[in-house]
Amino acid sequence: MPLLLSIDTSTRGCSVALHQNGQLLTSYDLLAEKSSSGMLTTLIQNAVEHAGFGLPDVDAIAVAKGPGSYTGLRIAVSTAKGLCFALDKPLLAVNTLEALTLQVSGFFDEDTLFCPMLDARRMEVYCAVFDYTLNYIEPTQAKIMDGESFAELLRRQKIVFFGDGAAKCQPVMEAYGNAFFLPVEVHPSAKTVGQLAVGLFEKQQFEDVEAFEPYYLKEFMTTVPKKTRLV
């Protein structure tokens, strides 16, 4: 079974984990703002060395590919690709929302649906809907939330909403009795990225390291300054 190094900087902070034989060896999770670029390489080195290995011992690099923060995803993917090139290792990519769901799915009944939400702009979130075994019920999408969002599913089945975009959606969704919002915020973590990456490694589902790009889901939005009028 492989030794996998996993990286997730999909939102604020950064997370690193090392798995062997599908078992977690070491992990680090920092939630401080703007910690991704400054601490990521240090956490990677610590995670590997504290488990008694060196970076050349790693069999593959796994990364949370998105959706999420444009800057965070770019940092994680750039770091993962750099390691793959330097160490001549394969790259594995995991959907951030799928890995986020794996953190909570085991605490609920098998007939429950799960909707991870990452904050976008205003009432927009990056989201998907999964069943208990992480099959997609609704695809990954950027969705503007209102009272009718997921209405058809909520009339039939319980949906658990979580992630840093869930709180702002609660006021427009809580009228449905089947809508359940976790009382604590769940953050993306490399621990579940690594769990899912084991299956990808076994199936040899590697990415093209040179061509791989983050799953931004939509174009990066920036503000263009107004031109100064010369008199």
Side-chain angles (χ1 to χ4, degrees):
M1 293 291 286
L3 181 67
L4 301 181
L5 174 66
S6 303
I7 302 168
D8 191 327
T9 62
S10 301
T11 58
R12 63 186 175 91
C14 59
S15 178
V16 174
L18 189 71
H19 288 79
Q20 185 179 48
N21 301 330
Q23 300 298 313
L24 180 66
L25 299 182
T26 55
S27 65
Y28 294 90
D29 292 272
L30 294 182
L31 297 179
E33 295 285 352
K34 300 181 180 179
S35 63
S36 299
S37 59
M39 290 298 297
L40 184 55
T41 53
T42 300
L43 295 186
I44 289 170
Q45 195 70 35
N46 288 345
V48 174
E49 290 182 353
H50 289 175
F53 295 98
L55 278 172
D57 297 318
V58 172
D59 293 302
I61 311 297
V63 67
K65 66 179 181 180
S69 157
Y70 180 91
T71 301
L73 295 177
R74 182 168 51 81
I75 290 170
V77 169
S78 297
T79 302
K81 290 175 67 170
L83 288 170
C84 289
F85 279 123
L87 302 171
D88 193 23
K89 304 295 182 179
L91 176 67
L92 302 164
V94 173
N95 186 297
T96 301
L97 297 176
E98 188 175 349
L100 192 64
T101 301
L102 186 58
Q103 292 189 46
V104 304
S105 58
F107 296 98
F108 293 90
D109 297 332
E110 294 185 7
D111 61 348
T112 304
L113 298 182
F114 303 90
C115 183
M117 292 179 162
L118 296 180
D119 194 16
R121 313 180 93 194
R122 301 183 179 88
M123 285 303 292
E124 187 175 26
V125 294
Y126 303 127
C127 64
V129 179
F130 299 92
D131 67 12
Y132 183 81
T133 56
L134 299 186
N135 294 309
Y136 281 88
I137 303 301
E138 290 201 4
T140 301
Q141 58 190 303
K143 192 176 186 73
I144 297 174
M145 301 296 295
D146 58 34
E148 293 301 308
S149 301
F150 307 114
E152 184 176 347
L153 287 174
L154 284 167
R155 293 188 184 102
R156 306 192 312 263
Q157 205 163 354
K158 177 180 177 179
I159 303 180
V160 177
F161 297 93
F162 55 96
D164 66 8
K168 70 180 184 181
C169 302
Q170 186 169 358
V172 299
M173 303 287 291
E174 60 186 358
Y176 293 95
N178 279 332
F180 180 78
F181 288 81
L182 290 185
V184 295
E185 192 171 296
V186 181
H187 301 276
S189 174
K191 287 179 282 190
T192 46
V193 171
Q195 286 179 253
L196 293 173
V198 172
L200 296 176
F201 186 93
E202 291 173 347
K203 297 174 184 176
Q204 301 288 285
Q205 293 182 351
F206 303 128
E207 303 292 336
D208 181 331
V209 177
E210 185 174 356
F212 183 75
E213 293 292 335
Y215 183 28
Y216 293 122
L217 194 57
K218 65 177 186 177
E219 294 297 324
F220 177 60
M221 302 296 291
T222 187
T223 301
V224 179
K226 295 180 180 180
K227 293 181 180 180
T228 302
R229 178 177 295 179
L230 299 178
V231 179

